[in-house]
Structures are given as structure tokens and as C-alpha cells.
Amino acid sequence: MTASVAVEEPPALDQRRRLGALPWGWIGPLAVSALAGLLVFHRLGSPHAIVWDETYYAKDAWSLLHYGVEHNWHIGRDGNPANAYFLAGHPVAGLAGGGEWAAHPPLGKWFIAAGMAVFGTGPFGFRFAAGVAGVLAVLILARTARRMTGSTALGCAAGLLMALDGSWLVSSRMSMLDVFLLLWVVAGFGCLVVDRDRTRAALAAGIEDASRSGPFVRHGWRIGAGVCFGLACGTKWSGLYAMAFFWLLALLWDRNARKSAGAERPWRGMLKLDLLPSLLQFWVLAGAVYLASWWGWFVSGTGLQKTLFGQIVPGYQRNWAEAHPSGIWPSFLDPIRSLWHYHAITLDFHDGVTQPNPAQSWPWQWPYLGRPAVMYHASAETGQDGCHAAKCVAEVSHLGTPAIWWFSIAALIAMALYGAFLRDWRAVAAVGGYLASWLPWFPAAFADRTMYSTYTLPMLPFAVLAIVLLFDGIITPYRGRPVWRALIWTGGGAYVAAVAVNLLYLYPILTAQAVPESAWHDRLWLPGWG
């Protein structure tokens, strides 16, 4: 006679299995995002001032919320008296007459307006949406890096590195447009990475039943990418550079996916089955999203504006076409003609901005943080604003964390070699995304256009990806060697810790904390940082 005996698993093993069953692919990135939120929202209302270009975007966002279009303000070179009225909670007192010209599309300002609608017109209210955008960008980058590397730890490292960067922190705490551009570029890229995986799986499953070019693939996630890049362009026109590069890269991925699946004519398959849908999913959809972002301008000067906002204030150049009738275009296209004229004026303005500015920097200075923009600088005496020295300084400098930016130069060079010699698609994406956000500024720089370090923000996620991918390339050959693997992971952890210490040291001059003047000088490592 035999008897069966139930063998219970050891408690430690059972606990490990339960931990392993948890969705760490989401828990880890969400935890990193929570840390990013703590960094951003702590003292978000400080300084209690309208800082740098907040003088445009905060007041424009308030105007959009109440009129649907940007409104004129009574301002001098210092932004007053409108800024003083705005901070005092009486924005209407600072208004001038009519619609105002704006240098950038309205979408980013609508996001800022959403924060103000919930939290009011104070500094916390007009900075809230930027903080949310910065945190979401960290989450999306962490999830995207996880997908690219197959490692939750490396995905979290990517999100954490971006959260520990000074330029990301400053941009997430300011009512400006750059962090919204960052969010939508990262989101669009993330959609394309998911689409790449889905495309390769679909082609591998369907190639046997298709022609020599391979089967048609729907590319559902590419629609999401088109929406995201449309939102990026609706925030700042510079989103177009990243959009164009990643569209071309996505088509190259399609060709390579067809080849890997066994298609005999992968180029023909891509051109025949992927090119036209991509034009619709990318360019047409992004264009529709961009036009929709101008909805407040389109309804301005009409009865619908009166219904929605209680008054009629035509947007800048809204009625230009009516005053300049065309013998070619029908009258129902007048709003489009007026918007086109608005864009022509704006393009001429951007091309003509060549006045020297103490805060300006050149693109060749950006990778090594040669001249970060000082957005806010104030002095405090003993007893003021927590100052415990004879004289203190409170500053907000758009300074990236050197441990990230300086090391990323080497990582990007390594990834360029990976892409060239090993045909690593991830390396090509990281280096290409960085260059697509950097190189287009050089022609304008050679024409002496005034530009600032804030333009570097879309470069940051790809610099971070290069660092993470370099670490992945280093550790991959040692995955089966526990000792070396542990040593490499320890080195990676030490690097992240060094980045955190670097940010902590610079934190006061990133967030307007009053520090003794000597301590402020100690943090100005390069001549261009002062």
C-alpha cells in the first residue's frame, strides 16, 4: 500500500515566488515617477515670482482660459505692471486691449491653463501642469527603456537618471513650454518602439501566407505616435525635427522587419504597404492635431467665443484674410489664410531674433553645459528667506547634471559605433534622437540667432538612453558570470549614486534656495555658469 504525502514549499521560496509574480515592470517605473514627483512638487511655488519666460506663458495661459486666445497686457521691459497685478491675484487689472501675437502655438499654454483652472493663478497653479508633464515623461521613458533592454532595472535606471537631471528639474518647475515638448517627443518615440515590436511579431506570424513583400500591417501604435508628435508640434515647432527623423527611422524598421521575417523584397514591401499608411498616420494625423490645437483662435471673434467665454476678442490676425480678400481662394477658407499669414509673421520673427542676450548660448556649448541660462537671481541679507550669512544668493539656473551630460558624450560616441558596426537599432534610435534634437539648431546659430540652453531638453532622454544602453552592452557578455555581473551592477549603482549626489549639491541653485554667496560661487564650476 502506498500513500501520497503533500510536501509544503519552504516559506522563503513561496515568498520569493509571490514577489516575482508582482508586476514589477509597472511598479518600478511608477516608484521612480513618484520620486520624480517629490523632487518637482516640493516647494513648487518658490520662488513666488514670475520667472524668466513665465512672463509670457503664464499670462498667455490665463488669457486662453478666459478668452480662448492670447490677450494683450500692459507690460514694460520688466513685465510690469501686468506681472505685479498677476501675482497679486488681479490679472484683469493688467490687461490691455485686443488679441496678442504669440511666438509659439497655443497647445502648451492650454496645458498650463488647465493647472491654473484647478489651482489658481499663483505660482503653484501656473507651474502645476509642467510638473505633471515632467513626471509623465519620466514614467514613459522608464517604460520605453525597459522595452528596449528587456530589463526592468535598466528601465527604472533610465527614468531615475532623467529625474536626477538639473535641466529636467528646472523645466518641470517652470511655467514654460519645453517640458511639454519633451513629454510628447518621448511619448511619440515610445509608441514607435511598441509599434516596432508589434510589427515584427505580426510579420513573423503572417509571412508564410503573404506575397514576397510580406503582409500588410495595421500599425495601430503608429497612430498614437502621430497624435503625440502632433501635440509636440502644437507646443513648439521644433518638435517637427524629431517627428521627421523618427518617421524615416520607423520606415527603416519596417523594411528591416520584413527582411527579418523572410520577405524576398523588403524594400518593395515597405514602399508598397507601409509608406502611404505612415503618411496618413504621421503627417496627416499630426497636422490635424496641430490645427485642432488652434481651436480657440478659430472661434475667436465669433458668436461661439461669446457663448464659451462670455465676450468677443478676435485673436491676433484672425480677420486678416477678410481685410485682404483673395481672387483665387474662396471666402470660407479665410480662417486658414489668416492662420497661414500668422505663421508667416511668426517665422519671420524667429529668423530675425539676433539681439545679444546675457543668457544665450550656442548649440556647440549644450552637450558640455557651457552656458546654462540663469532664469532667476536674487540677493538676500541675514535673516531674509532663511539666509544665515552676511549675504545669500537665490538662483534658478537651467543647469543639467554634469555627471549625466558629460558622461553621455562618451556614451553617445560608443552608441554611434554600436550602430555603425553592430547594426544595433537601439543605438541608432538613441544617437539619432539626440542629433535630431540638436543639429537642426546649427544653421540658425551660424546666422547669429539668439538661443538658449532650454532648447536642449529634448536631447536629454536620448542622452540617458545612450548611457543605459552602454551599460547594457557592457553587462551582456557577463550575464552568465555571477561575480563579474555583480561587480558591473555595483559599478552602475555607484554611478547612479554619484549622479544623485551631484544633483543634491547643485539643488540650491536649481530651485532658488538661499545659500551663502561663497557656497553659490563654489557651485559655479565653469566660467559660463555665473
Side-chain angles (χ1 to χ4, degrees):
M1 184 175 68
T2 61
S4 60
V5 179
V7 180
E8 294 186 2
E9 294 181 344
L13 179 60
D14 183 58
Q15 185 178 19
R16 285 198 298 270
R17 287 185 174 178
R18 290 180 180 179
L19 289 174
L22 293 175
W24 291 107
W26 277 104
I27 293 175
L30 286 171
V32 170
S33 302
L35 173 62
L38 290 175
L39 290 171
V40 168
F41 289 101
H42 175 62
R43 298 178 60 252
L44 182 62
S46 297
H48 188 84
I50 294 179
V51 176
W52 217 44
D53 280 358
E54 287 184 334
T55 188
Y56 305 114
Y57 306 127
K59 298 200 300 289
D60 283 351
W62 183 90
S63 299
L64 290 173
L65 191 62
H66 291 83
Y67 304 100
V69 291
E70 295 89 345
H71 202 290
N72 267 315
W73 299 84
H74 289 295
I75 56 173
R77 291 184 61 86
D78 60 353
N80 288 321
N83 285 4
Y85 285 125
F86 197 86
L87 281 175
H90 307 293
V92 175
L95 290 175
E100 178 191 32
W101 170 79
H104 296 289
L107 187 59
K109 290 167 280 188
W110 276 112
F111 293 131
I112 296 170
M116 297 171 71
V118 178
F119 296 103
T121 60
F124 183 90
F126 60 68
R127 294 172 187 157
F128 177 80
V132 172
V135 173
L136 287 176
V138 167
L139 175 62
I140 295 171
L141 180 64
R143 289 285 300 172
T144 302
R146 178 184 180 273
R147 178 175 286 272
M148 293 174 71
T149 61
S151 167
T152 297
L154 290 180
C156 291
L160 183 58
L161 285 175
M162 188 155 80
L164 294 175
D165 178 69
S167 62
W168 170 86
L169 180 63
V170 171
S171 298
S172 300
R173 292 171 55 87
M174 290 290 113
S175 180
M176 293 174 57
L177 304 181
D178 303 279
V179 73
F180 300 105
L181 175 62
L182 169 73
L183 169 63
W184 298 120
V185 168
V186 170
F189 173 66
C191 287
L192 290 180
V193 172
V194 177
D195 179 72
R196 180 185 180 278
D197 288 349
R198 298 289 178 88
T199 297
R200 295 178 78 86
L203 287 172
I207 196 72
E208 295 180 359
D209 300 326
S211 67
R212 289 183 292 176
S213 299
F216 174 76
V217 179
R218 294 184 182 276
H219 293 295
W221 279 89
R222 195 165 293 177
I223 296 174
V227 171
C228 290
F229 284 117
L231 294 170
C233 294
T235 301
K236 295 185 80 170
W237 288 352
S238 53
L240 186 65
Y241 303 139
M243 178 180 174
F245 168 74
F246 284 118
W247 172 65
L248 293 173
L249 185 61
L251 291 176
L252 182 61
W253 287 348
D254 290 341
R255 180 266 175 195
N256 292 342
R258 292 184 181 279
K259 181 180 179 180
S260 297
E264 297 179 15
R265 297 180 177 178
W267 280 110
R268 178 180 178 182
M270 181 274 288
L271 294 172
K272 179 181 177 182
L273 299 173
D274 300 314
L275 178 59
L276 180 58
S278 76
L279 292 173
L280 297 174
Q281 294 162 334
F282 254 76
W283 297 101
V284 174
L285 181 57
V289 171
Y290 178 82
L291 278 179
S293 72
W294 288 85
W295 72 271
W297 184 88
F298 278 116
V299 305
S300 69
T302 69
L304 183 56
Q305 185 188 31
K306 176 73 172 179
T307 301
L308 293 174
F309 299 99
Q311 50 198 311
I312 294 179
V313 179
Y316 181 78
Q317 297 292 318
R318 175 63 178 82
N319 299 319
W320 177 87
E322 295 178 13
H324 299 81
S326 170
I328 301 175
W329 301 103
S331 59
F332 70 85
L333 291 178
D334 281 354
I336 299 296
R337 288 181 56 231
S338 295
L339 186 61
W340 183 270
H341 179 68
Y342 191 153
H343 280 59
I345 292 174
T346 304
L347 184 61
D348 286 342
F349 165 79
H350 285 299
D351 288 340
V353 180
T354 57
Q355 300 89 345
N357 190 298
Q360 74 183 65
S361 62
W362 301 112
W364 44 88
Q365 297 176 303
W366 297 346
Y368 70 91
L369 309 175
R371 192 169 186 83
V374 177
M375 299 178 166
Y376 176 84
H377 186 93
S379 299
E381 305 299 332
T382 303
Q384 296 179 344
D385 300 326
C387 177
H388 301 293
K391 184 178 181 181
C392 292
V393 172
E395 183 173 280
V396 175
S397 176
H398 190 267
L399 175 61
T401 303
I404 294 175
W405 284 86
W406 293 350
F407 184 65
S408 74
I409 297 173
L412 286 159
I413 293 172
M415 287 302 101
L417 296 175
Y418 267 61
F421 295 106
L422 301 181
R423 299 293 192 268
D424 190 320
W425 69 271
R426 305 171 305 167
V428 173
V431 175
Y434 184 94
L435 295 178
S437 302
W438 180 40
L439 294 183
W441 294 105
F442 277 76
F446 294 143
D448 291 329
R449 177 179 163 181
T450 309
M451 52 189 65
Y452 305 94
S453 64
T454 54
Y455 300 175
T456 64
L457 199 60
M459 298 161 57
L460 174 63
F462 304 105
V464 167
L465 280 176
I467 294 172
V468 170
L469 291 173
L470 176 61
F471 180 84
D472 187 46
I474 292 172
I475 200 172
T476 295
Y478 298 97
R479 293 192 186 278
R481 303 172 68 177
V483 175
W484 280 100
R485 185 170 178 269
L487 288 174
I488 295 172
W489 275 110
T490 300
Y495 170 72
V496 174
V499 170
V501 171
N502 196 180
L503 177 72
L504 183 64
Y505 181 70
L506 296 173
Y507 189 82
I509 66 171
L510 303 174
T511 58
Q513 286 188 353
V515 295
E517 189 173 27
S518 59
W520 169 68
H521 276 293
D522 290 342
R523 287 164 172 79
L524 305 183
W525 293 354
L526 297 181
W529 290 13

